Amino acid sequence: MASTTIPEAPAENGTPGPGRARRARPRGRPKLSRAALPYILLAPAILLELLVHIIPMIVGIVMSFLKLTQFHIRHWTSAPGAGFDNYRLAVDFDGPIGRQLLDSFWVTVMFTVLVVGISWFLGMAGAILMQGAFRGRGILRALFLVPYALPVYTGVITFGFMFQRDTGLVNHVLVDQLHLMSDRPFWLIGGNSFWAMVVTAVWRTWPFAFLCLMAALQNIPRDVYEAAALDGAGVWQQIRRITLPMAAPVNRVVVLVLFLWTFNDFNTPYVLFGKSAPEEADLISIHIYQNSFVTWNFGTGSAMSVLLLLFLMAVTAVYLAFVRRKEKSDA
Amino acid sequence: MRVRRVVPALALTLSAFALAACGSSGDESESGASGTPKPGSTITYWASNQGTSIEHDKQVLQPELDKFTQKTGIKVDLEVVPWSDLLNRILAATSSGKGPDVLNIGNTWSASLQATGAFVPVDDGLLAKVGGKDRFLPTPYAATGAEGKPPVGLPIYSAGYGLYYNKKMFAAAGLKPPATWEEMAETGKKLTGDGRWGLALEGASYTEGVHNAYILAKQYGADVFTKDGKPDFTSPGMVQGVKRYVELMSKDKIVNPSNAEYGQGTQALKDFATGKSAMLMWQASQGSLVSNGMNPDDIGVAPVPFPAAPPAGAPHVNSMVGGINISVFKDSDNKAGAAEFVAFMTSAEEQTILNKAYGSLPSVKDAYGDPAFQTENVKVFQKILAETATPMPQVAAESQFETLVGTAVKDLIADAASGKAVTDESVKSRLKEAQDKMAAAG
Amino acid sequence: MLEPHWFRWVRRVGLTFLTVFAMVPVYVMVTSALKPLPDVQDGFRWWPSRVTFQPFVDIWDTVPLADYFVNSLIVSTAATVCSVTIAVFAAYTISRHSFRGRRVFSVTVLSTQMFPGILFLLPLFLLFVNIGNATGVELYGSRLGLIVTYLTFSLPFAIWMLVGYFDSIPRDLDEAALVDGNGPIGALLRVVVPAASPGIVAVAVYAFMTAWGEVLFASVMTDESTRTLAVGLQGYSTQNNVYWNQVMAASLVVSVPVVAGFLFLQRYLVAGLTAGAVK
C-alpha cells in the first residue's frame, strides 16, 4: 500500500537563490539544514506516533509476558514474569480460555468476510448506479453518506433500539405488519444477534466503500465506455471489462482498509450489546476487552492482543504481496 | 558524522514538538486543578451514581459536603462517576496512583480491590473515629473485605433483595405473596395473562444473574467456593439453584421471554412499575418505582421465596448483601482529611439524610430511629438484611466470578427465551465452562 | 456508461433499496425524538401519537450535555487542526524529499492502523500518567491528552492520503515557487497547500469524525470535567429509566454538526479521494 503511492524521489533540484530569498533558511550551514529539513518536518509526526502508538504497543507486548492481575496492577512494573504462560493459555484450544478465543476468532472472521463483502458490493453497486446525470443525484449521494457521517455510537444505539424484541421496528415490521413470523424473534441475544451486528456494521461501512469507489469511477473517461459501446459491449460487459479493472487500484486499498477496520471493530458490539456480548456475536476486540478490563487480567488480555496483531500483520503482508504480484502481472 | 547530523535534528525536533504542544496548551489549565488536592485543605471524592441521575446525586450530596466543609474547613471536590465508568476509573486510579482521596465502591468488589493493595485498610484508629464497628449492621460490615483481613471500607448505603409485589393485583386475585418457589410458580401463573406476567427479571444483566444465582445456589446447599477459595460451580446444589432461577422462565413460564434482553438494569423495574408484571425481585427502590409512575399504595414487599424443602444444612438465606462502601485511596496525600470525611459520611445524621434521599438502608444501627425507616416496606428490607442476607463471596477473584457465572446465567436465560431446553446438563455445562475459565485464569 | 432502457429500472430499484437501508435508522431517530415517553416504551409506532419537542428540552437537564458538547468540540477541533498541520508537513516531506528512513517511516506509520486499540489503551494511559508525574504536563484526564491521542489516530490515514495528493501536484509548481525565492516551506504553504486544498479538507473531515465518535479511549481517559459526548450519551440509559426519546433526541443533536459539515464538504471529499487515495 505504501509503496504504491510513494513516488520516485525527486532529483536534487531547485537550489533557491539565497540572495533573493526573503526567508532564506539555508544561510549559515546550508548543507546541514537541507539534510535535516525532512526530519524536522517529520519530527512532530514521528514523536506523536512514538508517544501514542509505538511505545505503548511495546509496553503492551511487555505486559503480555507478565502475570498482570489485580494483585500486581498497582505496581505493574514489578509484576512477576509469566514467560509464555499467557500465550500458552490463549492458544491452548483444549482449555476453556483458548477454546473461547478460537470461537471468538471464527466469529470475527465470519463477521469480517460478510461485512467487507456486502459493504463492498453495496458500495460498488451504488457507485455504478450513481454514474451519469439524473435528477436528484446530489441529494441521493448526500443521503447515502449520512450513515458514515453519523457518529458511530448514535447510529449503533439506534439500531439497538430498532432490534429490541417488543418495542423495536424490526419485529414490528416482520411480525405485526408483514406477519412473516408468529413468534417475535430475539435480535440482541442468541444466534440472531450475529446478524443484527452484521446489518448494523454494513449499514455504517458501505458508504465509505461507496464514497471511494464513486470517486474512482468518476475518473474513468467517458469515451472509454463509448468506444466499448460502439464495439457492441452491453452494460454487463462494460462493467466487467472497464469499470471493475479500472477501479481495481482503489478496490485493493478499500478492501484492505475495510478489513482492518472491521476486524478491529469494537464500537459496534460494545454499543449494541454492552460489556459482554452474546457468544454468537463475541467479536475478538470485545472478547479481549472483557478478558482484560472486566476481569483485570491484563497479562492474558495483552497476549491475546499481540496474537491478534500478528494475525493482522500476516494477513496484510500476504495481501500486499498478492496485490503487488498481480500489479506486476497486469503491467 | 551521522551523529553530528542527528543531534541538532533531535534538538529541533523536540522544540518543534514543544511548539506543537503549545497549540493546545490553553486546555490543560482547567482540567489540571482536579488532579492534585492541596494537603490539609481539599479532598477529592468519587461518588457512585445512587440517585435517578448524576445531576440528582449532585443535588443530594452538595449540601452535605458544604456542611462538612463548614464543620472541618476541608473542602470536598465531588465527582459523581456513572456505574459504567466506575470500575475502569478505579482501575486507572489503582494502576497509576492518580485518583481520588475517598471513593465509593460496590461492596461486592471489596475483596477484589482489597487484593490490589490500593486502599487504606480500616484500622483501630479509624474505627474509633467512626464510633466502633458495633455501630454497623453486621451483614453489611461483613461485605468489606476477605475474612481475617482488615476491611478496606465502611458500608454507607445498604440494600437487600426483596420480592416486590403489586398489592392491587394480588388483592384482585385474592392472593398473598409466595413464600416458597413452588408457591411462586403457582402464584405467578395465576397472575400471568392478558399481556401481564407474573414476574419480571433483568435477564441480560450479568450482575442480576450472578446475585440471584448465588443466593439460590446457597439455598440449595451449594458452597460455591471451597474452603481454600477454589471455584466449585458444578455441585448439585449450584446446578439446582441456577436451574431453579432459569426455570422461572423456561418451566414456570411466569416471566416474559422478552426479559432475556433486559440488560440496562432498569427495564424489569419499569415493567413492574407500569403494571406489566405483578412481581419483581429487586433491591430497595421505592423512589424509582414511584418516579416510573407507580402508586405508592400498590407497592408491597415480601421476602424472596425459599425452597419448600431445602437440603439439610443449607443456610436460611434469601438475599445477598447489597450496598456501597466508602474507602480511602492509599495514594491520597490527605489521609487525615479523608478519614474525617469517612467519619462524617457514616455519622447517624448523614446516614439518615442520604439513605432517605436515595431510598437505601442505613448501614448504622443508630440511624434507624428516623420515621422514614419505620415504614412497613423498609422494615421488611431491614429484617432481610439483618437476618437472611449473606455477603457475596469475599474472594479476590470475585469480579471474575461475577462476570463468568453472571454471563453463564445470562446465556441460560437467553436459551430459555428462545425455547431451548434448560436441563441439568445444560446448566452444568455452562457452569463448568465458567469454572474452567476461572481456574485457568487463576 | 451508455445505458439501455432497462438499466434505468435497475437503477431505480437499486437506489431505492439503498436509500431505504440508509435512511430507516435516521427516520427512527428523528421520529422517536419527537415522541412522548410512553410511545417509545410500549411497542413501536411509525409516527408519534403526539408530536412533542419536550425531549429536546429535557436532554440538557438529564445529563450535562452542553458541557460534553463543548468538550467534544474543543477536543475534536484541536485534534483536527493539529493532525492536518502535522500531516501536511509529513506528507510533503515524503512526497518531495528523499531521505534516509523514508520507507521505514511510511510503513511504520501505516501499520499503526492495524494496532488493536485494546492492546495499547492501558499502556498509553500509564504513559500519560508517568509523563504527568515527570513533567507536570497533565495528559491523563485532560483535554490535551485526548487531543494528542485522537490526532495520532487520524494521522496515518491523513499522511497517506496527502502523500497521494501531493504526488499528483506537478513538481514544476513548487519548483517555480522555489525559483521565485521561496524556501521549501514557502513553496509548500503558498503553492502546494492551496493546490491540495480539497485533499486537505477531506483529511480534516476524516480527522474530525474520528475524534468526534471515539468511545473506548474516552471512557478511560476523561473525568467529569473533560467527558466527551461519546461517553456522556451513555448517561441516558444508565439511570433508573431508559429515556429512548431523549437518547434519540440527544443522538440527533450531537450528529447534526458532523453530518451537516460532512455533507457540506462532501464534494471536496470526493475530489480529495479522487486525487489522493485513488491514485
Side-chain angles (χ1 to χ4, degrees), chain C residues 51-120:
Chain C
V51 172
T52 169
F53 289 94
Q54 198 58 36
F56 288 94
V57 178
D58 294 338
I59 51 174
W60 307 96
D61 297 329
T62 312
V63 301
L65 192 65
D67 297 347
Y68 301 160
F69 211 100
V70 171
N71 286 332
S72 275
L73 205 61
I74 293 174
V75 168
S76 306
T77 311
T80 305
V81 171
C82 294
S83 173
V84 169
T85 312
I86 294 170
V88 163
F89 285 114
Y92 179 68
T93 313
I94 294 175
S95 170
R96 296 295 197 264
H97 288 86
S98 73
F99 57 92
R100 197 187 296 271
R102 195 177 71 153
R103 229 187 117 70
V104 174
F105 175 80
S106 314
V107 171
T108 310
V109 163
L110 272 176
S111 60
T112 59
Q113 281 291 73
M114 59 182 101
F115 291 1
I118 304 286
L119 175 58
F120 63 94

Side-chain angles (χ1 to χ4, degrees), chain B residues 70-231:
Chain B
Q70 233 169 29
K71 246 191 200 156
T72 60
I74 302 170
K75 209 176 145 293
V76 184
D77 269 342
L78 169 70
E79 180 180 348
V80 183
V81 184
W83 280 106
S84 53
D85 290 358
L86 189 56
L87 201 55
N88 273 358
R89 293 290 297 281
I90 294 178
L91 165 73
T94 305
S95 54
S96 68
K98 272 219 176 317
D101 299 279
V102 183
L103 74 164
N104 288 359
I105 61 175
N107 68 0
T108 58
W109 305 340
S110 293
S112 288
L113 295 180
Q114 189 177 38
T116 65
F119 299 88
V120 178
V122 176
D123 56 7
D124 294 341
L126 182 58
L127 271 180
K129 198 172 209 133
V130 301
K133 102 181 218 189
D134 292 339
R135 267 187 73 225
F136 292 88
L137 298 181
T139 44
Y141 190 80
T144 53
E147 227 178 298
K149 290 185 188 160
V152 286
L154 291 169
I156 52 169
Y157 311 124
S158 296
Y161 274 83
L163 176 70
Y164 275 103
Y165 64 99
N166 188 316
K167 279 183 177 168
K168 205 159 86 187
M169 293 177 191
F170 271 70
L175 294 167
K176 59 182 183 39
T180 66
W181 292 112
E182 289 70 14
E183 284 174 31
M184 171 68 127
E186 265 171 57
T187 313
K189 276 175 198 157
K190 284 179 190 149
L191 291 160
T192 301
D194 293 333
R196 188 177 74 190
W197 294 84
L199 179 73
L201 297 179
E202 198 77 5
S205 154
Y206 69 84
T207 46
E208 288 293 319
V210 73
H211 292 164
N212 285 299
Y214 180 69
I215 293 308
L216 271 93
K218 284 265 169 197
Q219 290 186 343
Y220 284 91
D223 286 325
V224 186
F225 284 91
T226 60
K227 289 269 176 308
D228 50 351
K230 293 251 173 358

Side-chain angles (χ1 to χ4, degrees), chain B residues 232-248:
Chain B
D232 180 17
F233 302 158
T234 52
S235 64
M238 180 97 181
V239 172
Q240 215 181 337
V242 171
K243 185 161 156 255
R244 178 62 267 182
Y245 180 64
V246 180
E247 277 180 347
L248 290 168

Side-chain angles (χ1 to χ4, degrees), chain C residues 17 26 41 61 72 100 113 123 145 166 171 197 219 226 229 231 242 250 268 270:
Chain C
F17 169 78
V26 180
Q41 290 182 338
D61 297 329
S72 275
R100 197 187 296 271
Q113 281 291 73
F166 289 167
R171 234 160 283 269
S197 57
S219 72
T226 54
L229 286 170
V231 183
V242 187
Y268 295 101
V270 175

Side-chain angles (χ1 to χ4, degrees), chain A residues 42-53, chain B residues 17 19-24 27, chain C residues 74-88 90 109 112-113 120 124 128 139 143-159 203-204 206-212 214 217:
Chain A
L42 282 179
I46 293 174
L47 276 175
L48 285 166
E49 288 300 332
L50 277 177
L51 177 74
V52 177
H53 279 132
Chain B
F17 178 59
L19 267 168
C22 274
S24 41
D27 306 314
Chain C
I74 293 174
V75 168
S76 306
T77 311
T80 305
V81 171
C82 294
S83 173
V84 169
T85 312
I86 294 170
V88 163
V109 163
T112 59
Q113 281 291 73
F120 63 94
L124 178 64
F128 277 9
L139 290 169
R143 295 194 192 113
L144 180 64
L146 270 194
I147 293 170
V148 169
T149 310
Y150 289 167
L151 85 86
T152 320
F153 283 179
S154 51
L155 205 50
F157 190 70
I159 293 177
V203 165
Y206 172 77
F208 192 87
M209 281 170 44
T210 304
W212 192 263
E214 205 284 330
F217 283 69

Side-chain angles (χ1 to χ4, degrees), chain B residues 149-377:
Chain B
K149 290 185 188 160
V152 286
L154 291 169
I156 52 169
Y157 311 124
S158 296
Y161 274 83
L163 176 70
Y164 275 103
Y165 64 99
N166 188 316
K167 279 183 177 168
K168 205 159 86 187
M169 293 177 191
F170 271 70
L175 294 167
K176 59 182 183 39
T180 66
W181 292 112
E182 289 70 14
E183 284 174 31
M184 171 68 127
E186 265 171 57
T187 313
K189 276 175 198 157
K190 284 179 190 149
L191 291 160
T192 301
D194 293 333
R196 188 177 74 190
W197 294 84
L199 179 73
L201 297 179
E202 198 77 5
S205 154
Y206 69 84
T207 46
E208 288 293 319
V210 73
H211 292 164
N212 285 299
Y214 180 69
I215 293 308
L216 271 93
K218 284 265 169 197
Q219 290 186 343
Y220 284 91
D223 286 325
V224 186
F225 284 91
T226 60
K227 289 269 176 308
D228 50 351
K230 293 251 173 358
D232 180 17
F233 302 158
T234 52
S235 64
M238 180 97 181
V239 172
Q240 215 181 337
V242 171
K243 185 161 156 255
R244 178 62 267 182
Y245 180 64
V246 180
E247 277 180 347
L248 290 168
M249 180 184 282
S250 64
K251 187 171 134 220
D252 304 339
K253 303 205 186 302
I254 59 173
V255 178
N256 184 349
S258 286
N259 288 189
E261 71 180 23
Y262 286 8
Q264 259 121 357
T266 61
Q267 291 145 293
L269 183 105
K270 200 181 64 200
D271 274 10
F272 175 71
T274 52
K276 285 184 192 165
S277 76
M279 289 180 277
L280 172 75
M281 296 187 282
W282 213 256
Q283 302 186 24
S285 36
Q286 181 97 6
S288 301
L289 290 172
V290 174
S291 81
N292 269 295
M294 192 162 184
N295 179 352
D297 296 337
D298 294 344
I299 304 173
V301 185
V304 169
F306 294 93
H316 190 66
V317 293
N318 65 350
S319 169
M320 48 83 82
V321 179
I324 307 298
N325 297 344
I326 190 165
S327 292
V328 177
F329 196 56
K330 210 176 233 168
D331 288 300
S332 158
D333 45 16
N334 190 4
K335 291 202 187 70
E340 204 65 50
F341 185 65
V342 170
F344 173 78
M345 291 294 276
T346 50
S347 68
E349 188 191 346
E350 291 310 310
Q351 281 286 296
T352 309
I353 296 172
L354 294 172
N355 282 295
K356 216 196 284 188
Y358 289 138
S360 48
L361 296 175
S363 309
V364 292
K365 293 169 188 162
D366 44 7
Y368 278 92
D370 193 275
F373 304 115
Q374 295 300 323
T375 68
E376 208 181 315
N377 286 352

Side-chain angles (χ1 to χ4, degrees), chain A residues 160-322:
Chain A
F161 181 52
M162 286 163 45
F163 279 124
Q164 288 196 325
R165 181 175 185 247
D166 286 345
T167 55
L169 170 141
V170 175
N171 277 351
H172 182 67
V173 171
L174 292 179
V175 181
D176 301 344
Q177 299 193 309
L178 299 177
H179 304 289
L180 291 178
M181 291 163 223
S182 54
D183 232 10
R184 306 182 86 85
F186 284 98
W187 294 102
L188 297 174
I189 56 175
N192 287 342
S193 57
F194 177 78
W195 298 104
M197 183 169 68
V198 168
V199 170
T200 310
V202 166
W203 176 80
R204 65 183 198 78
T205 309
W206 82 268
F208 177 78
F210 167 73
L211 186 67
C212 296
L213 293 170
M214 195 176 51
L217 298 200
Q218 277 178 0
N219 273 9
I220 303 176
R222 204 177 150 73
D223 47 359
V224 182
Y225 287 116
E226 278 163 8
L230 278 180
D231 289 348
V235 171
W236 280 122
Q237 281 174 320
Q238 288 180 36
I239 291 175
R240 257 189 40 214
R241 292 211 202 130
I242 302 170
T243 315
L244 291 180
M246 292 197 74
V250 184
N251 270 335
R252 287 175 197 140
V253 174
V254 167
V255 167
L256 181 64
V257 169
L258 290 185
F259 165 75
L260 290 176
W261 283 352
T262 311
F263 213 96
N264 277 328
D265 192 3
F266 175 80
N267 290 329
T268 308
Y270 183 75
V271 180
L272 213 49
F273 308 116
K275 282 178 182 154
S276 67
E279 54 191 15
E280 293 89 348
D282 192 17
L283 290 193
I284 198 114
S285 54
I286 200 100
H287 188 82
I288 295 175
Y289 180 83
Q290 217 204 11
N291 271 285
S292 36
F293 278 84
V294 180
T295 55
W296 289 27
N297 193 342
F298 289 94
T300 317
S302 301
M304 291 177 181
S305 311
V306 171
L307 292 174
L308 170 62
L309 178 63
L310 290 176
F311 170 77
L312 293 177
M313 285 175 130
V315 172
T316 310
V318 169
Y319 180 85
L320 288 179
F322 176 75

